Amino acid sequence: MRSSGEELIEQGLQQGLARGRAEGRAEDVVRILAARGVHVDDEARRRILTCSDLDTLDRWFDRALRATSLSDVLDDLAQ
């Protein structure tokens, strides 16, 4: 059985890993858009890079792979 201190450390590690995955995915979205020649203005860049929801970032990532405009990625589209 783990102590409460060990559990807190584990929680912190898991939160740090999740944050790192989100940051990496957000950077991937911006990088893909740049590679596709899609201009990302400062407001959109900030929106992408500050997003911490992995489901949203995964959806944006998938859309970025086919995007020809920023709205293709960030606009709420019917699934």
Side-chain angles (χ1 to χ4, degrees), residues 4 13-15 23 29 33 35 43 45 47 50 58-59 69 72 76:
S4 59
L13 288 172
Q14 292 304 317
Q15 289 172 348
E23 289 173 0
V29 170
L33 290 170
E43 182 180 335
R45 180 180 304 277
R47 179 178 175 193
T50 60
D58 284 342
R59 185 171 57 252
S69 71
D72 290 343
D76 290 328

Side-chain angles (χ1 to χ4, degrees), residues 16-36 38 40 44-54 56-62 64-65 70 73-74:
L17 288 172
R19 187 176 316 128
R21 282 193 303 270
E23 289 173 0
R25 182 51 54 123
E27 291 168 1
D28 291 343
V29 170
V30 171
R31 188 172 180 185
I32 290 168
L33 290 170
R36 294 190 51 77
V38 175
V40 180
R45 180 180 304 277
R46 192 170 23 261
R47 179 178 175 193
I48 295 167
L49 294 177
T50 60
C51 181
S52 60
D53 181 71
L54 280 172
T56 298
L57 290 165
D58 284 342
R59 185 171 57 252
W60 289 348
F61 179 89
D62 292 341
L65 294 171
L70 192 56
V73 176
L74 298 180

